[in-house]
Amino acid sequence: MSTTKSNRPKLYLLTNDDEISTLLDKLERALDTGVISLLQIRRKTTLRQYDLATVYQETELLVSLADKYDVPVVMNDDLQLASHFCTGLHLGQRDGSVAVAREILGKDVFIGRTCHSDIALFKQAKKEGATYGAMGAVFASLTKPKVRLAPMPTLQKTANLDLPLCVIGGIALDNVYQLRDGLSGTPLEYIAVTADIMSHSSDTIAAKCRAWQLKLQNW
């Protein structure tokens, strides 16, 4: 199966909860490869453990690093942070309105919506003005072995809905072509990854990203 370059999915990287200096090191190595198209700042543990000033300081460092490499940023769930740093936003189903976020953040920023495996939620995300709808989990993982999976036929149904599809959940280098083959040509905008890149040591991050680049080039 082959697609044109413009139809190949892009790599969407989510941060983890590494200590900030480690995270910055890993991200610099990842972004420097040029394969990351979108970055989500997702620091759930940080938000629980640190005061607001620390959260803002760390976020400023992460946003500045992404800006250096001209990679768009979306904040996970936090409209206030997104508004303050002029970034995009990713919203879960219980984390606010896409329409309200769009009104506050403007028409040009990325706003994503978690849609699980529900086509109705995907349609609603489009109606409210989302940039993309995120469907998953695609595969079970060690951290979520019993997670509800999004069936391939459900993902295929997004093809005619005119909203870019992002897939997430358990996707790794060793199963990404299972995803490709299961989609049978369904357009895919983003493949979202955390653990398959960020769970590894800093000195292996660049090689991991280049391996992903090769997978996507051969999509």
Side-chain angles (χ1 to χ4, degrees):
M1 180 186 304
S2 63
T3 56
T4 64
K5 182 178 180 180
S6 61
N7 288 334
R8 292 170 182 160
K10 306 178 190 75
L11 191 59
Y12 177 0
L13 184 63
L14 283 65
T15 69
N16 60 6
D17 276 303
D18 281 335
E19 187 272 330
I20 187 63
S21 62
T22 300
L23 178 57
L24 288 167
D25 183 29
K26 288 183 178 182
L27 283 182
E28 179 110 43
R29 293 168 188 253
L31 295 171
D32 191 55
T33 65
V35 70
I36 309 301
S37 293
L38 187 62
L39 177 69
Q40 183 179 141
I41 297 178
R42 187 176 187 271
R43 302 277 283 164
K44 298 233 178 218
T45 301
T46 301
L47 290 172
R48 290 195 298 267
Q49 291 183 345
Y50 294 101
D51 60 272
L52 195 59
T54 301
V55 170
Y56 272 72
Q57 288 166 2
E58 291 193 358
T59 303
E60 183 174 11
L61 292 171
L62 295 167
V63 171
S64 296
L65 180 59
D67 286 347
K68 174 183 172 181
Y69 289 95
D70 198 27
V71 173
V73 169
V74 295
M75 296 294 172
N76 178 259
D77 296 343
D78 197 318
L79 177 57
Q80 184 175 350
L81 274 178
S83 179
H84 180 82
F85 288 102
C86 301
T87 70
L89 181 67
H90 182 90
L91 291 171
Q93 281 296 317
R94 299 180 181 179
D95 298 306
S97 163
V98 171
V100 170
R102 178 63 70 198
E103 184 174 348
I104 292 171
L105 298 177
K107 62 183 179 65
D108 296 324
V109 303
F110 288 81
I111 299 179
R113 170 68 99 180
T114 296
C115 300
H116 303 298
S117 57
D118 192 326
I119 288 293
L121 294 179
F122 196 85
K123 291 178 179 178
Q124 184 65 26
K126 178 191 174 183
K127 183 178 179 181
E128 292 186 2
T131 309
Y132 65 85
M135 303 281 278
V138 176
F139 300 109
S141 64
L142 290 175
T143 55
K144 296 182 178 180
K146 297 182 180 180
V147 68
R148 182 181 179 185
L149 301 183
M152 290 296 167
T154 299
L155 299 180
Q156 291 171 339
K157 288 178 183 177
T158 66
N160 298 318
L161 297 178
D162 196 29
L163 177 66
L165 171 63
C166 169
V167 290
I168 190 168
I171 307 171
L173 286 168
D174 62 1
N175 63 23
V176 69
Y177 281 174
Q178 290 177 237
L179 169 65
R180 177 196 65 182
D181 297 341
L183 287 175
S184 301
T186 301
L188 178 57
E189 189 75 11
Y190 295 109
I191 295 174
V193 173
T194 306
D196 196 58
I197 293 176
M198 299 304 295
S199 66
H200 297 272
S201 61
S202 292
D203 59 354
T204 65
I205 294 293
K208 267 283 184 180
C209 289
R210 284 192 290 269
W212 267 101
Q213 189 171 39
L214 186 61
K215 289 281 189 179
L216 297 179
Q217 285 173 347
N218 293 321
W219 189 266

